[in-house]
Structure formats: structure tokens, C-alpha cells
Amino acid sequence: MVENSPAPLPERAIYGFALFLGSWFGFILYLIWAYIPETWLFSLGLTYWPQKYWAVALPVYLLVTIGIGYILLFGINMMSTAPLNSTHTITDDYAKKQQQKKFQEEAIPALRDIPISEVNRMFFLPEK
Amino acid sequence: MAERWFRSASGAPIALRRRQHSACCRELSVRCPRLQLRSLSAVTSAVWLAAYGLFALSENSMVLSAAIFITLIGLIIYLHFVKIDQESLLVIGSLGIQVTSSYASGKESTTFIEMSQVKDVVINEAIHMQEVIYYLCILLWDPGDPEGVSEVVPLFQSSKPRLDCLIEVYKSCQEILEQRKPTPQASGIK
């Protein structure tokens, strides 16, 4: 209950079995709705079920949504990428507000965001 | 005035030419590969084949003349607005930085940035179309923040040189920029 491990627990086994039974029940119900003729359902008293058109339309809608979802996710990713001329490629709000700690001898230097000019000088200019 | 050959990000050969006009003035130009005859004929053949297919379907001969017009006008628009022949960077120590792009039709487009606005010229890495590329850019001072950057101006956008060429350009620019007196931004009113 307290730990967050993915180990099997009795409660999880019960949830799993309930989901298993529920999904089988839903599937059998869907098959009944799709295949049994309307007149038989009316004679049983079930007159207000949705049209059988939806038994075919909803799966098709779902599959098309999944296909479009791939393309949409790809497009959203590309749109969210910062353009080359934006300052977000260089810095962000956290780096602008960071505090500069004093350098102490024989201590590990504090973690900070190094400005890009300094990084460039270190990488690309020859050692003096 | 030496010319060295490098590769662009897509693998095409590009040429970098460095000219030193004086002690604090340098010009670096990158020449992109010219329009290839094979790609031009491939595109023209594709358009004309498609037009011939449409003509065979519709029996309308205007399709063929329209295809010829489209090819000609498309080529002119491409050469004048899209195809960049040479991009150059002129760094004048006390004055500023001038960026020029010359198109294949002869048109030149120039931008000048005053030295008081320029914070630094750096090589930055960013994600561009499912790739991470290195590109050279000019950082401009932020008037409200002494350490901040207000704008990033990317350079060499169509020739897209690789890191080895960018390092050469970076070193040349830094030699000039180091000679500046270390002053804060232009309007140092806080």
C-alpha cells in the first residue's frame, strides 16, 4: 500500500480479474448488439438500444483516429520545436534567475548553467 | 585569400573563402553548390510527363502549354527567391557585422548589425527537422538585462556548413570581436 513497486499484490490481482470479466462481458454484449436481428431484440423488450450502424461506425472511427493520431503527434512535435532564431535554444527562465555562488577552495563547484559564449570559447578556441 | 572546401549538412560541397581587408576587418563567404543540370532536367521531365499524362486523359492541349509556362515561371521564381549562391559575413571591428546573401538570379539581400548591439558570435546546436545541427549565430544584447540575450540571428541558413567549417568562421570572428573594448550594452541606463 505504501510502496510504489510494480510487484503483484492481492488487490491488483482482484482489479485485474474484475477488468478481465468486465471486458469479456462488454465484448459479448457488443457481439449480441451487432449480430442479433432487431426484431428478436424488440421481442425481448430491448427497444432503446442504439442503431446497428454504430456497431460498424465506431470501430472505423477509432481506427482512423489512431492513424491520424500518429501524424498529429508528429506534427505537434515539429510545431513545438523552438525555431533556430529563438532565445529558447540558448537559455530559459530558470537559467536567467540562477544565483551565482562564490567559488570556495577545495569544494565541488556549485551546479550552474554556463553561458553559451563561455562554452564556445572552451570548446572551439585553442588552449591558451 | 584562401579558399577551402568543406561539406554542408546535407553532404554537398561548399567553399569557404576568407579575406582579410585590414587588421580589424574580415570577410568570410560560403559558396553553395550551383544548380545541377541533372536535377533541373529531372524536375522538368517530371512536370512535362505529368502534363502529357493529363493531356492524354483530357485531350486538352492547353495543359501542355500551361506546363511549359509553369516550368519557366517556376524556374525564374526559384532562381530569384529560393536558390542562394553565396552567403557572406563581413565583420568590421569597430563598426558592425554585415550579412549578405546573393541569389542565383543576381539579387543580393543585406543585413547590417551595429557592433554595439552585438553580444557575441557563437556556434549553437538546435533541433531542426528531426536532426540536431550546429549553426553559427549572432547574439544581440538585451536592453533590459546586462547578461541576457534579446535576439538570436542565425547565419548561413541555406548553405548549412558542418562543424569544421563553422569552427573556422568562429575563430576568425572571435579574433576580431576580442579586440572590442569590453563595454556593456549600448543604452547602459539601469
Side-chain angles (χ1 to χ4, degrees):
Chain A
M1 285 187 300
V2 180
E3 66 256 13
N4 286 333
S5 76
L9 294 173
E11 294 91 13
R12 289 176 180 168
I14 296 173
Y15 301 151
F17 190 60
L19 266 176
F20 172 72
L21 285 182
S23 52
W24 265 112
F25 175 70
F27 185 53
I28 302 291
L29 196 64
Y30 173 76
L31 288 179
I32 291 173
W33 169 44
Y35 280 108
I36 296 194
E38 275 207 328
T39 47
W40 296 16
L41 291 175
F42 286 167
S43 68
L44 281 172
L46 307 162
T47 53
Y48 211 60
W49 279 19
Q51 282 184 343
K52 286 179 188 292
Y53 161 79
W54 294 109
V56 180
L58 284 177
V60 174
Y61 271 127
L62 189 67
L63 288 175
V64 173
T65 305
I66 291 176
I68 289 182
Y70 274 110
I71 303 173
L72 195 71
L73 192 65
F74 189 69
I76 289 178
N77 269 327
M78 282 183 70
M79 279 175 60
S80 321
T81 309
L84 291 186
N85 63 348
S86 104
T87 51
H88 292 287
T89 53
I90 301 221
T91 182
D92 64 356
D93 286 335
Y94 296 102
K96 282 184 195 157
K97 292 189 207 138
Q98 65 180 345
Q99 295 145 350
Q100 310 275 351
K101 293 216 174 104
K102 279 227 179 99
F103 176 68
Q104 292 164 342
E105 288 292 331
E106 299 197 0
I108 300 176
L111 194 66
R112 70 179 180 104
D113 184 47
I114 305 177
I116 186 168
S117 310
E118 217 175 299
V119 173
N120 266 304
R121 270 194 286 274
M122 190 189 69
F123 275 144
F124 302 128
L125 291 181
E127 297 295 309
K128 300 240 168 40
Chain B
M1 187 170 148
E3 188 172 88
R4 281 186 59 186
W5 286 90
F6 292 95
R7 290 221 164 252
S8 80
S10 54
I14 55 174
L16 170 71
R17 199 171 52 161
R18 271 184 294 205
R19 296 173 66 173
Q20 174 131 1
H21 295 285
S22 83
C24 58
C25 175
R26 251 182 228 180
E27 183 176 8
L28 298 128
S29 23
V30 172
R31 208 155 37 99
C32 311
R34 303 281 173 133
L35 180 63
Q36 302 273 7
L37 184 61
R38 55 169 178 251
S39 57
L40 177 63
S41 37
V43 171
T44 308
S45 318
V47 171
W48 286 359
L49 272 175
Y52 187 73
L54 271 178
F55 167 69
L57 280 174
S58 67
E59 304 292 330
N60 184 6
S61 64
M62 284 299 289
V63 173
L64 297 173
S65 359
I68 295 179
F69 272 127
I70 288 175
T71 314
L72 278 175
I73 294 178
L75 181 65
I76 291 176
I77 290 179
Y78 176 71
L79 291 179
H80 194 67
F81 291 108
V82 175
K83 179 90 187 79
I84 290 188
D85 224 8
Q86 175 174 314
E87 288 170 307
S88 74
L89 189 68
L90 176 68
V91 185
I92 306 178
S94 46
L95 199 59
I97 301 184
Q98 176 171 291
V99 183
T100 313
S101 309
S102 354
Y103 291 83
S105 63
K107 172 173 104 163
E108 286 197 3
S109 121
T110 315
T111 314
F112 179 75
I113 304 172
E114 280 187 296
M115 199 44 97
S116 59
Q117 286 180 352
V118 171
K119 182 170 185 240
D120 203 359
V121 172
V122 299
I123 298 179
N124 191 15
E125 312 166 59
I127 300 178
H128 175 71
M129 303 281 273
Q130 297 92 45
E131 269 186 341
V132 175
I133 57 166
Y134 289 100
Y135 65 104
L136 198 73
C137 56
I138 304 178
L139 305 178
L140 304 183
W141 286 113
D142 190 6
D145 181 7
E147 301 289 323
V149 175
S150 77
E151 215 181 304
V152 173
V153 179
L155 303 173
F156 300 124
Q157 288 290 280
S158 24
S159 43
K160 292 199 180 61
R162 288 191 179 167
L163 189 61
D164 43 6
C165 180
L166 288 179
I167 293 180
E168 298 290 331
V169 179
Y170 174 75
K171 284 186 193 163
S172 295
C173 290
Q174 286 295 319
E175 281 167 22
I176 309 262
L177 290 178
E178 273 165 2
Q179 296 167 10
R180 291 187 293 180
K181 283 191 271 290
T183 58
Q185 67 277 16
S187 60
I189 299 170
K190 280 191 61 176

